[in-house]
Amino acid sequence: MKKQKLVMVGNGMAGVRCLEEILKTDSEMFEITVVGSEPHPNYNRILLSSVLQGTTKLEEITINDFKWYEQHQIQLFTGETVVAIDHKSQIVMTDKGRGLYYDRLILATGSVPFVLPLPGVEKEGVISFRTIEDCQKMQETAKNHKKAVVIGGGLLGLEAARGLLHLGMEVHVVHISSFLMERQLDETAAKMLQVELEKQGMKFLLEKQTEEILGNKRIEGLRFTDGTSVEADLLVMAVGVRPNVHLAKESGLTVNRAIVVNDFLETSITNIFAVGECVEHRGMVYGLVKPLYEQAVVLAKRICGVDGQGYEGTVLATQLKISGVDVFSIGAFQEDSASKSIKIHDEVEGTYKRLVFQEDKIIGAVLFGDTSDRTKLQNMILKKQDVSEIEKVTIFQSSGSGTAVTSMAATEIICNCNGVSKGTIIEAVQIHGCSTVDDVKACTKASGSCGGCKPLVSELLAYIHSDEFDEMKIEKPTMCNCTSLTEDEVVHEMQVQNLSSVNEVMQALNWKHKEGCSKCVPALTYYLSMINPEYENVQETLFVNEKMNATLQKDGTYFVVPQMYGGMTNPHELRKIANVADKYGVSELAITSEQRIHLMGLTKDELPKVWNDLNMPLSATYGNRVQNVKTCIGEHICQCDKRKALQLSATLEKKLEYLITPYRVKIGVSACLHNGAGSTTKDIGIIGTKRGWEIYVGGSSGRSVKAGQLFTVAETEEEVVHFIGGLVQYYRETANYSERTWEWVDRVSLLHVREVLFDFELRQQLLERLEEDCLMMKGPKDVPIF
């Protein structure tokens, strides 16, 4: 299948997170090109302040290194800037004269630091704080200069100032407001923060407006509008950022404060999307990582053609990343005429807590000194929890420092940036052996973005490894009560010891119950048949070959199902079925949802005669096998051509019938997006579209309906057959007995399944083994199965 060309302008956190999600959804759909102005691979810009403060090394902030781009066949141009978009020809041009064609274009241009237009701003020693290069300039400057001024008392400015203190510089923070972080804190919390930072050595010049930068070639100081001044040989501008919209505006996209997008991150021009700090959604522009990652997930689904809910906005939360200072705020923390608040200010302990309520719901919070309840409060605000029955003051009653995680439910979120719950981290520790914060970050991405949850992750790790931990003890399940071995261990021993029967397995592996049980006997039978296809197992189905087959019913009679591949037959076969029904007094004929006729109520003695008179293939889908493919004619719904879908269904049935599987495998083939066969809720589903056949895997239409995940889009029917053949065989070889396809996909991950099946050589090996198994079960054929 010819891939579509996806070009992304920008190589930052939001854009690359979107690419990660696209690769998870359909890694074969796009030929991806990324153009980034910086000379680096994707890195965590938020942690630059941690680098300055000495808590993180520069090399540790890389999110995806150059090898990642190579592994995913992403063409990356660094140190290059897109300067024009020709949306009519669908081509972008770079400052190096490169022209790149696109089918889909993502603008992830981020933001640029705002530089105050002051006299002398061009002098040496005046920098902003936005990139790795800015960080390195500060580190180099600190080696020879000692007086620094930071303009901006917001989040970024204070983090930069703390980093400069760590580098041994004398630091003044200039802020135009009367208190710090006025957008994130109320005045009380801000004043407490100022006191703590002054103890660390920071100096503040509040309610100051800079008039001029002093000095000749290099900065020597600042003069303010009130006539006062301060000496400086380094000035860091941290007065905010502006969405980088120059390219979008020049290209004719609708731009207000930022690039205007709808709930699916679509811009005003077809096939051009935008994500991240350069985006304006419902009048809001976001600069924090959580909303940008949420946008990335929505955009990835949209661009891959997967139905999903649009982006609806984010409740913002802020945590200051300065050593020794715990500050947190979320939501609407300033009360108005429609809200009321509760405040607790403990001057002895140096803590301050404020909750803002509206109509029996918490809508905002500010915490200083003790932020251990931040996750609990954040969840209450995000879930819009009704607190009318709760005594409001008790909400403040924290479980205490070091034990906040003990009161959290397993489903509560620890890392809001990446949506990682407490239970997910516990599983990572108990199943994957994670023992450090870095291990957890590598396994789950928790603490891998803003880093604000790092203390809570560390606290949770300490709790898990303590004697007090008594929740979610995750142990590898044994095959059944007859053995202490897991299924993987049993299968391994069967292969190593070359065991060839159920009795041999039970005896060699010291089975507690010599006859086994209803759980282990069929599982052992299945694994023996997979290890040795010639192994003969006894089925409840009376099965001899494709023309001699019947299924026992509860009343002691049998039913026979003439095979109609794809639900199609002819007048001759229909007459034959009707004649047999008349001859043997079959009064009940059922037509199932799989378009098959069931001849019911036959005795065991009648079966040989019925088989002989029918003399046609019979369906054999009893038990854990690939079931008859469900199709839909549906002319009353639409007029699309159903022939290809019916032919594809018949081909799949012929190739996969009689195959034993870990659990029943249901397949649906829908000719068009009307999806009459319910293909998205089948173990494997195929839907015809203009761009080819969408293949879904891991759906379920049982009591708990589960939508399948998009596996890939195949261009031809032959590709569909090969992909599904490989899927079925890989499921047979790696799933546990009775493990449904959706459970299997969740366990091994869809990304892993794609990696295996998209590898041509691995897929061919799977198809060869599948063909051997099919031939063993069906008998030799004149035509190869695959």
Side-chain angles (χ1 to χ4, degrees):
M1 175 183 172
K2 185 178 180 180
K3 295 182 179 180
Q4 298 181 61
K5 292 185 182 296
L6 172 64
V7 174
M8 188 170 77
V9 181
N11 192 33
M13 295 175 69
V16 177
R17 172 53 70 90
C18 182
L19 292 187
E20 290 177 343
E21 295 296 327
I22 288 172
L23 292 170
K24 288 179 185 178
T25 305
D26 190 343
S27 61
E28 290 295 300
M29 188 172 182
F30 294 106
E31 179 183 307
I32 302 173
T33 300
V34 177
V35 183
S37 297
E38 294 187 57
H40 314 286
N42 176 230
Y43 68 90
N44 191 333
R45 197 182 305 276
I46 301 169
L47 295 182
L48 286 174
S49 58
S50 300
V51 173
L52 271 185
Q53 293 171 35
T55 58
T56 303
K57 295 180 180 178
L58 193 58
E59 58 268 22
E60 292 176 345
I61 70 173
T62 297
I63 301 174
N64 295 297
D65 58 19
F66 288 114
K67 288 183 179 178
W68 180 83
Y69 294 85
E70 293 175 6
Q71 289 170 353
H72 293 90
Q73 298 179 328
I74 297 173
Q75 189 173 34
L76 173 63
F77 297 110
T78 59
E80 193 164 346
T81 303
V82 172
V83 294
I85 303 171
D86 182 345
H87 57 81
K88 293 182 179 178
S89 300
Q90 296 189 182
I91 294 176
V92 298
M93 295 297 299
T94 75
D95 57 355
K96 294 186 178 180
R98 195 188 311 275
L100 299 169
Y101 174 82
Y102 66 84
D103 294 299
R104 300 282 190 277
L105 177 65
I106 298 176
L107 299 181
T109 50
S111 59
V112 292
F114 180 68
V115 178
L116 294 172
L118 299 171
V121 73
E122 75 286 350
K123 298 183 189 299
E124 184 181 343
V126 179
I127 63 174
S128 54
F129 184 27
R130 182 66 179 167
T131 67
I132 287 178
E133 285 71 26
D134 294 335
C135 189
Q136 291 171 330
K137 284 180 184 177
M138 291 187 212
Q139 292 171 327
E140 287 299 314
T141 302
K143 294 177 182 179
N144 303 307
H145 302 277
K146 296 303 176 185
K147 294 184 178 181
V149 171
V150 176
I151 298 181
L155 184 66
L156 185 63
L158 295 179
E159 290 177 351
R162 184 64 187 84
L164 293 170
L165 280 178
H166 172 75
L167 294 175
M169 300 192 77
E170 176 187 323
V171 182
H172 283 83
V173 175
V174 176
H175 195 46
I176 196 169
S177 177
S178 60
F179 61 91
L180 304 173
M181 292 182 66
E182 68 277 6
R183 294 183 180 181
Q184 293 88 17
L185 301 177
D186 64 11
E187 187 169 1
T188 302
K191 294 296 183 183
M192 295 178 73
L193 173 62
Q194 181 178 337
V195 170
E196 288 299 316
L197 294 178
E198 286 173 339
K199 289 179 182 178
Q200 294 186 17
M202 215 174 288
K203 300 175 182 179
F204 295 94
L205 299 170
L206 301 179
E207 297 183 271
K208 294 283 187 180
Q209 185 172 350
T210 306
E211 182 178 67
E212 183 183 4
I213 299 172
L214 306 174
N216 294 317
K217 183 177 180 182
R218 183 177 184 87
I219 177 176
E220 296 177 6
L222 276 74
R223 182 166 52 238
F224 305 112
T225 54
D226 62 3
T228 60
S229 62
V230 63
E231 293 183 4
D233 38 36
L234 173 67
L235 171 61
V236 178
M237 292 268 194
V239 291
V241 294
R242 298 289 185 270
N244 187 0
V245 299
H246 177 74
L247 176 65
K249 188 177 291 185
E250 291 293 314
S251 303
L253 277 74
T254 300
V255 174
N256 288 332
R257 291 171 58 205
I259 304 170
V260 177
V261 296
N262 62 15
D263 288 357
F264 295 98
L265 288 305
E266 296 166 323
T267 70
S268 58
I269 296 179
T270 304
N271 292 339
I272 300 181
F273 307 82
V275 66
E277 292 177 294
C278 63
V279 158
E280 179 180 329
H281 171 263
R282 299 187 184 180
M284 284 291 294
V285 178
Y286 297 95
L288 299 177
V289 68
K290 183 176 185 288
L292 308 188
Y293 280 1
E294 290 175 352
Q295 291 175 4
V297 172
V298 171
L299 175 53
K301 289 182 178 179
R302 188 65 165 186
I303 214 164
C304 289
V306 178
D307 291 336
Q309 186 175 356
Y311 176 64
E312 297 181 349
T314 303
V315 176
L316 298 178
T318 302
Q319 182 163 341
L320 190 63
K321 299 185 292 301
I322 294 180
S323 176
V325 180
D326 293 324
V327 184
F328 175 80
S329 70
I330 183 174
F333 55 84
Q334 297 286 7
E335 60 187 286
D336 55 26
S337 58
S339 62
K340 296 181 179 179
S341 66
I342 297 177
K343 307 172 188 176
I344 296 180
H345 186 180
D346 187 337
E347 294 185 358
V348 176
E349 295 295 331
T351 62
Y352 172 74
K353 300 181 181 183
R354 176 180 184 172
L355 296 185
V356 180
F357 298 85
Q358 187 178 71
E359 297 178 355
D360 292 320
K361 292 181 178 64
I362 306 175
I363 61 171
V366 176
L367 304 177
F368 181 89
D370 177 12
T371 61
S372 58
D373 284 334
R374 62 187 180 275
T375 302
K376 178 182 75 175
L377 293 173
Q378 189 159 350
N379 285 329
M380 294 174 79
I381 292 170
L382 294 177
K383 295 176 181 177
K384 299 180 180 180
Q385 181 177 332
D386 190 321
V387 293
S388 58
E389 301 300 321
I390 302 175
E391 188 175 349
K392 304 299 184 292
V393 177
T394 63
I395 299 174
F396 286 115
Q397 294 175 358
S398 171
S399 53
S401 178
T403 59
V405 294
T406 61
S407 60
M408 293 175 62
T411 55
E412 286 190 53
I413 299 299
I414 294 282
C415 176
N416 280 283
C417 294
N418 295 288
V420 183
S421 68
K422 174 184 176 181
T424 299
I425 295 175
I426 293 175
E427 288 183 9
V429 172
Q430 296 185 348
I431 295 178
H432 301 292
C434 297
S435 58
T436 66
V437 174
D438 285 340
D439 290 341
V440 171
K441 180 169 67 175
C443 188
T444 68
K445 290 192 175 181
S447 79
S449 295
C450 77
C453 65
K454 193 172 183 178
L456 199 58
V457 173
S458 180
E459 184 180 318
L460 178 55
L461 283 172
Y463 170 55
I464 295 170
H465 291 118
S466 71
D467 294 334
E468 298 177 5
F469 181 71
D470 61 353
E471 52 183 294
M472 278 186 70
K473 296 287 185 181
I474 302 172
E475 298 178 358
K476 293 182 179 179
T478 60
M479 176 175 275
C480 66
N481 293 329
C482 300
T483 178
S484 59
L485 301 175
T486 65
E487 290 194 49
D488 289 341
E489 291 168 339
V490 169
V491 173
H492 176 73
E493 292 300 322
M494 289 166 67
Q495 293 172 304
V496 171
Q497 300 186 37
N498 195 27
L499 304 175
S500 59
S501 71
V502 172
N503 288 334
E504 276 189 25
V505 174
M506 292 180 176
Q507 186 174 355
L509 303 184
N510 300 315
W511 235 243
K512 298 174 185 177
H513 306 294
K514 293 182 179 180
E515 295 182 356
C517 65
S518 59
K519 185 176 181 180
C520 66
V521 171
L524 292 176
T525 301
Y526 172 75
Y527 291 133
L528 284 167
S529 68
M530 286 301 300
I531 295 170
N532 179 12
E534 295 182 9
Y535 173 78
E536 294 182 0
N537 55 29
V538 179
Q539 302 289 336
E540 291 183 39
T541 304
L542 184 60
F543 174 69
V544 180
N545 58 41
E546 63 181 11
K547 292 185 179 179
M548 299 176 66
N549 170 32
T551 303
L552 180 65
Q553 300 181 104
K554 287 184 179 181
D555 61 1
T557 63
Y558 292 82
F559 67 82
V560 171
V561 184
Q563 182 60 280
M564 299 177 181
Y565 296 114
M568 296 184 291
T569 186
N570 55 57
H572 174 70
E573 288 182 345
L574 281 176
R575 290 191 189 94
K576 189 186 293 186
I577 294 169
N579 291 337
V580 169
D582 284 338
K583 182 175 180 179
Y584 296 97
V586 177
S587 58
E588 295 180 333
L589 286 87
I591 300 177
T592 69
S593 62
E594 297 170 345
Q595 300 91 39
R596 302 298 189 277
I597 296 174
H598 286 210
L599 297 169
M600 306 173 68
L602 298 168
T603 66
K604 190 172 184 179
D605 293 337
E606 291 174 329
L607 290 177
K609 300 174 184 177
V610 170
W611 290 333
N612 184 66
D613 290 349
L614 282 173
N615 190 29
M616 58 187 295
L618 302 175
S619 178
T621 57
Y622 178 83
N624 291 351
R625 296 177 182 271
V626 178
Q627 306 293 292
N628 289 323
V629 177
K630 183 172 182 180
T631 58
C632 179
I633 304 300
E635 281 85 354
H636 62 289
I637 299 175
C638 66
Q639 300 297 320
C640 69
D641 184 6
K642 305 295 190 298
R643 288 172 294 180
K644 286 187 177 180
L646 293 172
Q647 291 166 359
L648 179 56
S649 301
T651 301
L652 288 172
E653 285 183 345
K654 290 175 182 177
K655 293 182 181 298
L656 300 175
E657 66 179 341
Y658 307 120
L659 270 180
I660 299 171
T661 50
Y663 197 81
R664 293 186 297 277
V665 174
K666 295 183 179 180
I667 300 177
V669 178
S670 299
C672 66
L673 293 173
H674 285 107
N675 193 17
S679 300
T680 49
T681 55
K682 296 291 187 292
D683 294 279
I684 299 175
I686 304 103
I687 300 177
T689 68
K690 292 181 180 179
R691 60 194 181 115
W693 297 93
E694 294 181 347
I695 301 176
Y696 294 82
V697 63
S700 174
S701 57
R703 180 174 295 180
S704 299
V705 177
K706 186 177 181 67
Q709 300 181 63
L710 181 64
F711 170 70
T712 190
V713 180
E715 187 171 328
T716 65
E717 288 76 19
E718 183 181 14
E719 282 186 354
V720 174
V721 173
H722 283 197
F723 272 124
I724 290 179
L727 262 174
V728 170
Q729 183 65 11
Y730 196 56
Y731 169 60
R732 296 176 74 228
E733 293 181 0
T734 60
N736 296 323
Y737 183 74
S738 292
E739 186 175 37
R740 300 188 176 193
T741 56
W742 66 265
E743 295 173 314
W744 171 68
V745 170
D746 285 350
R747 178 170 61 83
V748 303
S749 86
L750 182 63
L751 181 61
H752 169 73
V753 177
R754 285 191 182 124
E755 288 174 345
V756 173
L757 271 297
F758 291 163
D759 186 305
F760 180 78
E761 292 185 4
L762 292 178
R763 186 170 72 244
Q764 287 303 115
Q765 292 173 17
L766 287 168
L767 293 175
E768 288 170 7
R769 292 197 292 273
L770 179 62
E771 182 169 355
E772 291 175 4
D773 292 352
C774 288
L775 291 173
M776 191 67 64
M777 294 175 184
K778 297 177 66 172
K781 300 289 180 185
D782 295 332
V783 181
I785 298 173
F786 288 96

